[in-house]
Amino acid sequence: MALSRIGDRSTSDVVVRLRTQEGRDDWFYCHSHILVEKSKYFADRLSENWPTCQIIDSRNCVEVHCEEADFDHFVNFVRLLYVAIDGSSDDIWHGVKNALGILQVAVELGCPQIVTACVNYLEAVPWEEAEEEEILRVIPGMGSQAEPILARLRPVNSSTIRRIFLSAVQFATSSPPSPMNNLKTSAQEQLEYMLTEDDDAPLLSADDEIKSIVKECVKGLFCRFNNLLDTFLFKPVESVSESGKMQSFHCHLSDMSWACQILSKLEIIFEFVNSWVDASDKVLQVVKHASSAGEIIETKLKVIEVTSKVLEAIGYGTVILPTAKRLHVVKAWLPFVRVSKPLIDSVTTNDEEAMELKMDGEMWQSLESAFVSIVLALPSGDQAEILTEWLGNEHIHYPDFTEAFEVWCYRSKIAKRRLAYIKENHGMTDTL
């Protein structure tokens, strides 16, 4: 028996007529045995129970009405009825969009062979974002036959999420060879994303065990950072910037900044803040060893990024520290920040190549607010000492302690009246 070909008028016995409301009208010379075998729709239309009209040469005619946007998919579907689909000819789909359109037609016209082939193709190939959204819109309405396509989009169970989170934490807090730094940065970004509450709930709800593991991993990270600080401080000044040591310092600072974000989200930042406060003097000494101007700016920026997060945690009461430590934090970091800001601003404003180093203005504002909050929580005598130094400093513009000065003046002026009231109403002695 000769091979039947679509469009072969001499052997065809059926005309498939595709029509749209917009007036598009195409005829295809086909063969009833192929249509009936592969499509339930055509099998029904060509059965004795369904009246059909006859046209040229007494051929049966089956009219198929479709939307203009789907016309090409119907044409491709009819052509595919004549193709031996064995899974080795995936290029016949011409991309995800076309395969998805053909799949919809195949489901509508009842062709299980083409449905299966489309599903196998769509389930295996990569999707662009727009294609993925279209698949999510279309596939769920097709029933169980199309469900395999959605396998990559289904949520995984909590134990799987937990395992991948912990594996990522261990890698993100490790010290891989420098060629793998980009991979580590990516892992850090995804960990932060997993814990972020945006339009959707966080991917992971951390329990005590997870928090404990994260704390241990970050503790190891900080231990390596401390060891690096010690190597800087016990080496001659001229050797500190050699062999990429300062670049290693920058990488560790980036890790510290990321760790602050993760620990804050998990509400376990206390130990980190304490460790950073204890290491502050060492960090400030190491910064002095930066050699070139560009290296100085980059180093100071990274240090300030971490310090700002630490000061925010202290200033807003997330982490409670003794008075002595809070006072030390202000005295250690206030001179560094007030001198660094104009230097950073001048370089990043005048040098186009340094724009990637530019610090977010909101971070400067948040850092200033944290300083003000910490100062206002100190004993009034310590506040007076800090404010006196601020009023005589050439960098009086930043941080701006105007609010702190106003509050201190108000508190100081009414302090005796307040104290007298307390003594009178509560029988307190002069110990205050």
Side-chain angles (χ1 to χ4, degrees), residues 394-405:
E394 63 177 311
H395 299 290
I396 193 172
H397 294 293
Y398 187 88
D400 184 354
F401 284 156
T402 300
E403 179 187 349
F405 187 32

Side-chain angles (χ1 to χ4, degrees), residues 84-127:
I85 303 175
D86 56 7
S88 62
S89 304
D90 289 343
D91 60 331
I92 63 177
W93 307 111
H94 304 295
V96 171
K97 183 178 179 180
N98 284 327
L100 189 58
I102 294 170
L103 174 59
Q104 291 175 267
V105 177
V107 170
E108 180 181 341
L109 301 187
C111 181
Q113 182 186 30
I114 293 180
V115 167
T116 299
C118 281
V119 168
N120 291 343
Y121 172 79
L122 290 170
E123 187 273 333
V125 298
W127 309 330

Side-chain angles (χ1 to χ4, degrees), residues 14 23 70-71 94 127 130 193 202 206 220 267 301 319 343-344 412 415:
V14 178
D70 299 326
F71 189 87
H94 304 295
W127 309 330
Y193 176 72
E267 299 180 347
L301 269 172
V319 172
L343 176 64
I344 293 170
S412 299

Side-chain angles (χ1 to χ4, degrees), residues 313-375:
I314 299 170
Y316 302 147
T318 304
V319 172
I320 306 301
L321 296 181
T323 302
K325 278 199 171 186
R326 286 182 280 122
L327 181 59
H328 175 70
V329 163
V330 174
K331 289 187 174 181
W333 289 106
L334 182 57
F336 177 79
V337 169
R338 64 164 44 131
V339 171
S340 297
K341 186 177 188 301
L343 176 64
I344 293 170
D345 287 347
S346 65
V347 172
T348 56
T349 299
N350 300 325
D351 188 354
E352 293 183 1
E353 294 182 358
M355 287 304 290
E356 68 273 10
L357 299 176
K358 190 171 183 179
M359 190 167 173
D360 187 353
E362 291 185 4
M363 186 175 291
W364 287 121
Q365 182 60 48
S366 181
L367 185 56
E368 181 178 75
S369 298
F371 268 122
V372 171
S373 295
I374 295 172
V375 170

Side-chain angles (χ1 to χ4, degrees), residues 96 118-129 131-133 135-136 139 146-156:
V96 171
C118 281
V119 168
N120 291 343
Y121 172 79
L122 290 170
E123 187 273 333
V125 298
W127 309 330
E128 295 181 358
E129 185 175 353
E131 294 169 343
E132 185 168 313
E133 292 300 320
I135 285 170
L136 281 170
I139 297 301
E147 280 186 3
I149 297 174
L150 301 176
R152 72 182 74 172
L153 303 177
R154 292 194 180 98
V156 296

